[in-house]
Every structure is written in C-alpha cells, then in structure tokens.
Amino acid sequence: MSKYILRLDDACEKMDIEKWDRMEQLLDKYGVKPLVGVIPHCEDPMMDNYPIDSNFWSKVNNWISKDWSIAMHGYNHVYSTECGGINPINKRSEFAGEPLEVQKEKIRKGISIMREHGINPKTFFAPSHTFDRNTLLALKAESDINIISDTIANDVYYQDDFQFVPQQSGRVRKLPFKVVTFCYHPNMMQENDFLILECFLEKNSDSFIEFPIEKNCRKFNFYDFLIKKMYFLRR
C-alpha cells in the first residue's frame, strides 16, 4: 500500500491568505501534516497580486508547533535560466545552470532569513522542481539541509549525501508507488481542487505520513530508473 505526503508550495509574505487558511482548516480536519515550502525572499511578480501578510512568519512558526514540516523553497522564486538540471520537469530555473557561487549566495541569504525567524530547515525543493549538482554543493556548504523533496522514483532513496523523497503528482490520485508526494499550490487552487482533495482525504487520510520520514539508505535502482524514464517520455 502506498504512503502519501502532501506538499504545499509557495508560502511567502505575499500569498492568498484565504486559500491558505482554507487548506489549513482542511488538513487539520483530517489530521494531515504537510511539508510546506517557504520562499524566504519572494520577488516573483505573480505574487504581487496579494498584499503583504505581516503575520506570515508567526503563521509559519504556528505550523511548526502543529508538527508541519517547513522546507526552503528557493530564495526569491525568480527564474534566471532555461535549464532543467537533473530533474527537468520544466525548462526554467532559479538554480539549475547558475554558477556555484551564485547558488551558494542564494542559499546563504535564504537560510539567514529563515533563521532570523527561528527556522532552520532541513529540507529543500526548488521552484519548478529544477536544480543541479551545484545546488546540492551549495546546500552542503551553506545550510544544514540534507533532504530534497523532488525527483521521480518509487521510494525514498539516498544519493550524494542527500535523502531524496520523490514527488510524482500535482494532484491526489492512486499511484503504484511506495511513497507518493502530491504537490499543491494553494495560491492557484480553485473550488473543485479543494473538493477533490477533501474527498481523497476523507477516504485515505490514514495513508498520509508526516515529514520528514525515517532516514532511508536505499539506493536509486533499476525500477526507479524505469519509472523516471516512463515519466519523462510521457511528458
């Protein structure tokens, strides 16, 4: 039976507060504790549609008090390259293709902001899922992060001194994998998205696990390779 993780992207000082509050109430109702990606210094113009939430960092610390897990979701969420890196879900990136020193500076600045607010993340995922080897080197040099929420695989695996927790779907559904991460963007969700999510949670809440999960030293294997190959062929 699959184990599920719910991941929420794009939490920042400028976000759709009403939708995030609705998501929080929904997850509390079913006892699901998500992984939340926080953008430390959001400069993405798409977020300018929302007012600054002066209580944002207090909200993040409240999530932590409820055993929600907090990840660093890039630095400013602004795409600077057209590179897909080692997880080419998209052909745009804040990190992949950038020189190591540029990436180290972004990680350093992002971590500094989060630590100023009492948060020392152990998990990272990049905007648009795109990162490269330099991203991993930058994370090692500038942070305590050792978990990546991304890549396509059947189960959690250990590689390059990082624990990779695969992320395979942007919506809840049954998938034939051991660990499945569903990635949601509350800012962009519509009414039907909430309804479908609640229906799934109502039936499957017991299958959701907390993040981070127990460390796994399993290596990326041939079955993972086939899943990854099929995924990108279909895209």
Side-chain angles (χ1 to χ4, degrees), residues 109-174:
K109 287 181 176 180
I111 289 292
S112 177
I113 291 170
M114 297 184 79
R115 286 176 177 168
E116 285 175 9
H117 295 283
I119 304 158
N120 187 31
K122 299 297 191 296
T123 304
F124 175 87
F125 54 86
S128 281
H129 312 272
T130 48
F131 60 97
D132 60 14
R133 300 297 177 189
N134 279 341
T135 315
L136 302 181
L137 292 174
L139 290 168
K140 288 181 186 179
E142 303 293 343
S143 77
D144 296 325
I145 289 170
N146 57 13
I147 304 171
I148 305 293
S149 167
D150 252 322
T151 68
I152 306 301
N154 177 55
D155 194 4
V156 179
Y157 63 95
Y158 189 77
Q159 182 174 300
D160 298 325
D161 299 321
F162 286 89
Q163 185 177 9
F164 287 84
V165 182
Q167 193 282 295
Q168 309 99 326
S169 180
R171 58 184 174 87
V172 287
R173 52 180 167 153
K174 296 287 188 178

Side-chain angles (χ1 to χ4, degrees), residues 157-212:
Y157 63 95
Y158 189 77
Q159 182 174 300
D160 298 325
D161 299 321
F162 286 89
Q163 185 177 9
F164 287 84
V165 182
Q167 193 282 295
Q168 309 99 326
S169 180
R171 58 184 174 87
V172 287
R173 52 180 167 153
K174 296 287 188 178
L175 289 171
F177 308 135
K178 188 170 181 179
V179 173
V180 180
T181 302
F182 303 119
C183 174
Y184 275 82
H185 297 73
N187 295 321
M188 302 171 63
M189 290 176 68
Q190 303 300 318
E191 178 67 21
N192 198 48
D193 298 321
F194 282 103
L195 296 177
I196 292 172
L197 175 58
E198 178 159 20
C199 183
F200 191 88
L201 293 178
E202 187 175 17
K203 298 176 182 177
N204 301 281
S205 61
D206 289 345
S207 295
F208 280 82
I209 57 177
E210 293 184 31
F211 201 98

Side-chain angles (χ1 to χ4, degrees), residues 8-169:
L8 308 179
D9 286 30
D10 299 347
C12 60
E13 291 176 305
K14 292 182 178 181
M15 63 183 189
D16 192 320
I17 297 173
E18 182 177 340
K19 289 182 180 179
W20 276 88
D21 286 348
R22 180 173 180 181
M23 176 65 81
E24 183 171 358
Q25 292 167 16
L26 179 59
L27 299 187
D28 286 349
K29 178 179 178 181
Y30 292 98
V32 174
K33 302 178 187 300
L35 170 67
V36 182
V38 170
I39 307 169
H41 182 67
C42 186
E43 295 180 310
D44 187 335
M46 288 184 62
M47 303 299 186
D48 289 339
N49 296 322
Y50 312 115
I52 294 176
D53 182 0
S54 59
N55 294 318
F56 173 71
W57 292 104
S58 295
K59 188 173 294 183
V60 174
N61 278 287
N62 182 60
W63 292 338
I64 293 172
S65 73
K66 297 197 294 185
D67 295 326
W68 291 23
S69 189
I70 304 301
M72 179 179 172
H73 183 35
Y75 170 59
N76 61 12
H77 210 276
V78 174
Y79 301 117
S80 53
T81 76
E82 296 179 352
C83 182
I86 60 178
N87 189 50
I89 303 295
N90 296 288
K91 292 296 183 181
R92 60 179 185 269
S93 188
E94 180 186 345
F95 290 89
E98 288 284 14
L100 176 59
E101 290 306 315
V102 171
Q103 297 201 44
K104 287 173 67 174
E105 182 179 16
K106 289 184 176 184
I107 299 300
R108 182 168 58 249
K109 287 181 176 180
I111 289 292
S112 177
I113 291 170
M114 297 184 79
R115 286 176 177 168
E116 285 175 9
H117 295 283
I119 304 158
N120 187 31
K122 299 297 191 296
T123 304
F124 175 87
F125 54 86
S128 281
H129 312 272
T130 48
F131 60 97
D132 60 14
R133 300 297 177 189
N134 279 341
T135 315
L136 302 181
L137 292 174
L139 290 168
K140 288 181 186 179
E142 303 293 343
S143 77
D144 296 325
I145 289 170
N146 57 13
I147 304 171
I148 305 293
S149 167
D150 252 322
T151 68
I152 306 301
N154 177 55
D155 194 4
V156 179
Y157 63 95
Y158 189 77
Q159 182 174 300
D160 298 325
D161 299 321
F162 286 89
Q163 185 177 9
F164 287 84
V165 182
Q167 193 282 295
Q168 309 99 326
S169 180

Side-chain angles (χ1 to χ4, degrees), residues 225-235:
F225 171 79
L226 289 178
I227 291 170
K228 180 178 178 180
K229 190 75 172 178
M230 291 176 63
Y231 179 90
F232 284 106
L233 284 174
R234 290 184 66 183
R235 288 181 69 87

